Amino acid sequence: MTSIIDETEGAEVRSLFLAGPFLGLLDPETGEMPEQERAPFDLLIKHFESQGVSVHNAHRREAWGAALMQPEECTRLDQEEIRRADVLVALPGSPASPGTHIEVGWASAFGKPIVLLLERGRDYTFLVRGLHTVATVEYVMYADVAEALPAVDRAVRRAVARRRAAGDGG
């Protein structure tokens, strides 16, 4: 497995923020994310952490819905973690996840490299599809997140290297 920690390409990644739909995926009866909704996030977290990358993720931090934070606290924490991360990786949601789109906007405003995972056959907003015109964005089209992991790693390396080559480490 190729690591996303790759100093030879100038794209070393020590930390990332993993964003994606959350509140809209919570089971109304349990208040928690069902396993099938949690699975892609859990897989990505384990994948990146196995490479020594520190992963910031609201889903896990808030116990998959069992320990939701108040808006004033989670908003501040998410923005702070995005500001400190080397890269933002996001599943933007289809239909669109408003919170995820705000996080992607923050990353763009902070000059962070962004990797967007777009599920094949889904519709995404024009601003998600056109974000690469105003920010450092790599897109990964996938049918199965597990099968896309090598492409995700390559996209992270490319996005970070492109951002750093532009003269700003993010």
Side-chain angles (χ1 to χ4, degrees), residues 22-103:
F22 189 12
L23 295 179
L25 300 179
L26 298 180
D27 181 307
E29 291 183 24
T30 67
E32 296 182 29
M33 285 179 78
E35 180 57 39
Q36 71 272 17
E37 303 293 352
R38 182 187 307 195
F41 298 100
D42 195 42
L43 175 73
L44 287 161
I45 290 166
K46 288 176 180 170
H47 172 72
F48 292 128
E49 287 183 342
S50 75
Q51 298 180 59
V53 176
S54 175
V55 178
H56 303 281
N57 174 259
H59 305 81
R60 178 176 60 181
R61 181 183 67 219
E62 297 181 44
W64 309 101
L68 289 177
M69 295 177 152
Q70 292 301 306
E72 297 79 10
E73 186 178 13
C74 66
T75 302
R76 182 186 55 74
L77 271 173
D78 283 359
Q79 188 184 61
E80 185 177 306
E81 289 174 347
I82 290 167
R83 187 186 310 269
R84 286 194 317 246
D86 294 320
V87 62
L88 178 124
V89 175
L91 296 104
S94 176
S97 164
T100 304
H101 283 64
I102 288 171
E103 293 165 337

Side-chain angles (χ1 to χ4, degrees), residues 39-41 43-44 47 91 117 142-153:
F41 298 100
L43 175 73
L44 287 161
H47 172 72
L91 296 104
L117 283 64
Y142 73 93
D144 178 291
V145 173
E147 292 176 7
L149 291 176
V152 172
D153 287 349

Side-chain angles (χ1 to χ4, degrees), residues 11-29:
E12 184 176 4
V13 175
R14 291 186 180 96
S15 67
L16 66 79
F17 189 93
L18 176 61
F22 189 12
L23 295 179
L25 300 179
L26 298 180
D27 181 307
E29 291 183 24

